[in-house]
Amino acid sequence: MVNIMEANTITKNPGTAVLEDRAQAGTQETAERIPVFKTNNFNLWYGDNHALQDINLRFNQNEVSAIIGPSGCGKSTFVKALNRMVELVPIVRTEGEILYRDQDIFNRKMTVEELRTKVGMVFQKPNPFPKSIYDNVAYGPRVHGIRKKKVLDEVVEKSLRDAAIWDEVKDRLNENAYGLSGGQQQRICIARALATEPDVILMDEPTSALDPISTTKVEDLMHELKKNYSIIVVTHNMQQAARVSDTTAFFYQGYVVEHDDTKVIFGNPRDQRTEDYVSGRFG
Ligand SMILES: Nc1ncnc2c1ncn2[C@@H]1O[C@H](COP(=O)(O)OP(=O)(O)O)[C@@H](O)[C@H]1O
Ligand SMILES: [Mg+2]
């Protein structure tokens, strides 16, 4: 419970401080937590709408980091800022820093292409290209200049295996991806993201258009993928965040109320608003 005095003094981002404190404490467990993304007082406006306010977050390597919060609180805007996709909206203005592996993503030294090669994205609605399954997955590598069939074959197979869909599609790689079920299409999109060998995979409500069985498959997949990648996933499904993630950030009206280990956010949050949200009192 948070009393009124405490509530008044709550900073907008207490959870981040907790993670930093623990990291600095240098225990065995936290010493291994290597950040892939850090944001320092990141702000974003759509015209006059201050959609993201002083975001200070840190996401670690080989973890699933969940972002939760009510509709319109800035979750999609935030993940699209991480790979600079949000800048496609002309009225967007940003302030503050986003560091990817300690490099400022807005610095001229890092090109958008470089960033998006390292930071892949999977969207809410499966969006395969109207091409064959093979060509969907080979798309990124081809853009990067890979032409040899043998190399492409290997990349396609590995990506489809890693996306846990190889067995379902290996005999029909030349069929159009549109012929697959929604759940299969989403795993094709994950394979397509994996084919360029990203470091971080952003997922914006990747299962919200899927049936429960496909959802379970994608959740299991996230668990597998974090061994080799880092995943930042937006979800409006609280059970999903609790099941799949290592840390959870609770966004509310454009700022971060609390960010901490998922078991703390769901078991013992510091902020009354987090508790109300995760217990379903508002949504
Ligand atoms: N392309 C856009 N142009 C203008 N405003 C936008 C755009 N996308 C989102 N917004 C605004 O930014 C805020 C956050 O939206 P969004 O990031 O989509 O939230 P969430 O993903 O949490 O539902 C909302 O006020 C929304 O209206
Ligand atoms: Mg959204």
Side-chain angles (χ1 to χ4, degrees):
M1 286 296 259
V2 178
N3 70 35
I4 302 222
M5 285 302 289
E6 279 170 6
N8 285 337
T9 59
I10 277 178
T11 59
K12 282 180 174 176
N13 246 334
T16 319
V18 172
L19 285 178
E20 297 284 355
D21 289 350
R22 287 190 196 150
Q24 277 158 20
T27 62
Q28 184 65 38
E29 189 200 2
T30 54
E32 292 166 4
R33 299 178 95 168
I34 299 163
V36 286
F37 267 111
K38 280 192 234 167
T39 69
N40 295 324
N41 291 328
F42 183 70
N43 284 270
L44 185 145
W45 291 260
Y46 290 105
D48 294 334
N49 179 5
H50 195 175
L52 294 173
Q53 300 160 35
D54 291 328
I55 310 289
N56 290 291
L57 286 174
R58 165 191 168 145
F59 301 109
N60 296 317
Q61 181 180 297
N62 302 119
E63 293 188 8
V64 175
S65 309
I67 295 174
I68 61 170
S71 181
C73 69
K75 305 178 297 297
S76 295
T77 299
F78 179 70
V79 291
K80 282 189 284 185
L82 296 179
N83 71 351
R84 296 187 57 178
M85 250 181 68
V86 78
E87 292 167 43
L88 297 172
V89 181
I91 54 172
V92 160
R93 184 168 67 82
T94 66
E95 261 178 29
E97 270 186 333
I98 297 181
L99 304 178
Y100 162 67
R101 299 226 178 245
D102 291 328
Q103 257 192 294
D104 186 345
I105 66 168
F106 301 112
N107 189 309
R108 289 247 189 84
K109 277 193 206 140
M110 191 184 307
T111 65
V112 171
E113 291 70 33
E114 220 180 313
L115 177 67
R116 294 199 190 131
T117 304
K118 292 289 178 196
V119 183
M121 184 142 185
V122 175
F123 298 86
Q124 178 166 2
K125 218 173 143 270
N127 60 346
F129 303 129
K131 293 168 177 281
S132 71
I133 294 166
Y134 186 100
D135 287 345
N136 262 275
V137 183
Y139 182 85
R142 279 177 174 145
V143 167
H144 285 99
I146 298 178
R147 291 279 175 271
K148 283 194 180 135
K149 183 161 185 314
K150 186 163 173 293
V151 178
L152 286 173
D153 285 353
E154 278 168 17
V155 173
V156 168
E157 175 169 346
K158 180 171 191 312
S159 306
L160 289 167
R161 279 190 192 281
D162 288 353
I165 192 164
W166 172 251
D167 289 336
E168 289 162 63
V169 300
K170 64 176 185 236
D171 299 323
R172 44 176 171 147
L173 294 177
N174 293 321
E175 287 176 26
N176 198 298
Y178 279 7
L180 299 171
S181 73
Q184 288 172 324
Q185 287 185 14
Q186 193 63 308
R187 279 176 290 140
I188 293 294
C189 293
I190 294 172
R192 186 176 65 191
L194 297 178
T196 51
E197 301 188 334
D199 177 24
V200 181
I201 305 165
L202 310 173
M203 299 185 174
D204 191 356
E205 307 204 17
T207 63
S208 64
L210 306 186
D211 61 84
I213 291 171
S214 302
T215 296
T216 305
K217 282 190 183 155
V218 173
E219 286 181 10
D220 290 347
L221 182 54
M222 284 186 223
H223 200 75
E224 273 307 302
L225 290 176
K226 79 172 182 179
K227 293 173 188 162
N228 295 315
Y229 306 89
S230 310
I231 298 174
I232 299 172
V233 57
V234 172
T235 175
H236 65 237
N237 178 333
M238 235 80 74
Q239 286 78 23
Q240 177 164 83
R243 276 193 299 264
V244 304
S245 70
D246 298 282
T247 71
T248 298
F250 171 48
F251 276 56
Y252 183 65
Q253 294 180 352
Y255 58 90
V256 178
V257 172
E258 190 164 354
H259 179 214
D260 210 322
D261 288 337
T262 296
K263 52 182 183 292
V264 176
I265 295 290
F266 286 91
N268 190 19
R270 303 166 139 220
D271 193 292
Q272 188 64 45
R273 290 165 296 182
T274 313
E275 183 166 330
D276 288 347
Y277 185 71
V278 300
S279 60
R281 255 166 270 169
F282 70 98

